Amino acid sequence: MTNTTGTTVAFDELLLAARELSLAGRWETALRLLDATTCDTAGDRARLALAAAEVALQSDWFGGTDLTARRAELAEKESPGADWDLAFVRLRHDYLGLLRGGGNFRLGPEGKDPGALAGIRRAAHDLREDGPDGVRCGWASMYLGLIADNLFAERTAAPAHYEAALRAGEAGGDDLLVREALRHLGDHDHDGGDHDRALERWGRATALGARAGMVPGVLSQQMLLAVLARDIGDEAGATVLAREIARWAEAIGAEHVHAQAVGFLAGADPTAPPPESGS
């Protein structure tokens, strides 16, 4: 495998570098690196296109871009047919589309197509059943929880999926899956009034994100710590932290996190759950 300058590098190392750039919020740089790479085999070209689709998804999620659909189509051309990892990219992209319909984050099922909601839940279930290893099954469980929580407003159904994801992440050594599960389990602790347990889980999630170099994710996790500071009456501390989160997020182009921090400073609660389904 060579890049356009003719320098030979190990393909796995190049993919790892692109992934770490993406986690750090350097999505454009990661995509330029991948786009400048040529591969000799169909298998490597498929992996390259999948990596670009995953970077695009991170950019869409944190940076507010709209890159994933095209990148997923290119990945499908390189690897036609059933591919678990590409199907998981499509699932997350569909989830984001339902959550961010019209450009604004909208929790709960109100105003969403019931057929699309049923379809995304079915797709996540199929991915969990077909996962080629425990970690990937755990990621599908994670999204079953997110779909229940944030699209269907079924708050009581979600934690069991997060617990399954947590077990899979810990067993498989996937820090980012563990982080994601802890983040959302802590949200349920917080809503239940167990602030000590929420702090424990959110603090650990923040550290795991930092260890993985996930800059926008660490900022979003610190946003939750600002919520806890406000909850215990430390408004001054909450405000200072939120201002820094807003400053950092704006600087790296993490639009969603920036909007959360600005809203928090205006008095909004970014952890407020959607109305219960059927209420």
Side-chain angles (χ1 to χ4, degrees):
M1 186 280 304
T2 60
N3 64 22
T4 53
T5 65
T7 303
T8 300
V9 298
F11 188 46
D12 285 345
E13 288 299 314
L14 183 139
L15 294 182
L16 177 62
R19 182 173 186 264
E20 293 194 348
L21 283 167
S22 180
L23 288 174
R26 302 300 188 185
W27 308 294
E28 291 183 7
T29 303
L31 287 173
R32 286 200 304 269
L33 175 64
L34 295 171
D35 288 343
T37 301
T38 58
C39 300
D40 297 329
T41 69
D44 283 350
R45 287 193 295 272
R47 292 176 65 198
L48 188 71
L50 174 64
E54 290 172 338
V55 172
L57 183 61
Q58 287 287 309
S59 178
D60 288 359
W61 183 267
F62 287 109
T65 54
D66 187 18
L67 305 176
T68 306
R70 174 178 170 273
R71 291 287 181 168
E73 288 176 4
L74 293 173
E76 176 68 29
K77 290 178 181 178
E78 294 293 347
S79 181
D83 179 88
W84 194 97
D85 294 306
L86 180 55
F88 187 51
V89 169
R90 291 190 182 279
L91 175 82
R92 288 178 286 164
H93 183 239
D94 290 344
Y95 171 78
L96 179 60
L98 287 167
L99 194 62
R100 196 173 68 183
N104 297 313
F105 277 78
R106 296 184 297 115
L107 298 172
E110 185 176 354
K112 297 181 172 72
D113 178 4
L117 292 173
I120 195 172
R121 173 174 271 173
R122 184 167 55 251
H125 180 270
D126 290 346
L127 284 169
R128 185 184 64 184
E129 295 302 303
D130 297 339
D133 54 58
V135 166
R136 279 182 275 195
C137 288
W139 273 110
S141 291
M142 187 69 227
Y143 270 80
L144 279 169
L146 293 172
I147 289 163
D149 236 349
N150 296 329
L151 297 184
F152 284 87
E154 296 173 352
R155 295 287 287 173
T156 58
H161 295 300
Y162 299 150
E163 292 283 3
L166 179 62
R167 291 191 297 270
E170 289 179 331
D174 189 323
D175 281 356
L176 292 180
L177 179 54
V178 173
R179 169 203 175 270
E180 195 72 16
L182 290 171
R183 173 177 170 82
H184 290 277
L185 286 167
D187 182 52
H188 282 261
D189 295 330
H190 171 258
D191 288 349
D194 190 345
H195 291 171
D196 289 341
R197 184 65 167 150
L199 178 60
E200 177 188 345
R201 282 173 158 160
W202 283 349
R204 186 181 170 207
T206 304
L208 288 170
R211 186 162 72 185
M214 192 180 188
V215 176
V218 169
L219 294 176
S220 68
Q221 195 60 40
Q222 287 180 330
M223 194 70 252
L224 299 180
L225 299 179
V227 168
L228 278 181
R230 175 175 284 172
D231 286 346
I232 65 173
D234 183 8
E235 185 62 30
T239 298
V240 169
L241 182 54
R243 282 176 179 163
E244 287 306 305
I245 293 166
R247 192 194 318 273
W248 277 56
E250 184 177 31
I252 67 170
E255 293 185 0
H256 173 52
V257 182
H258 179 257
Q260 275 195 329
V262 170
F264 179 83
L265 289 168
D269 179 3
T271 68
E276 286 290 339
S277 180
S279 64

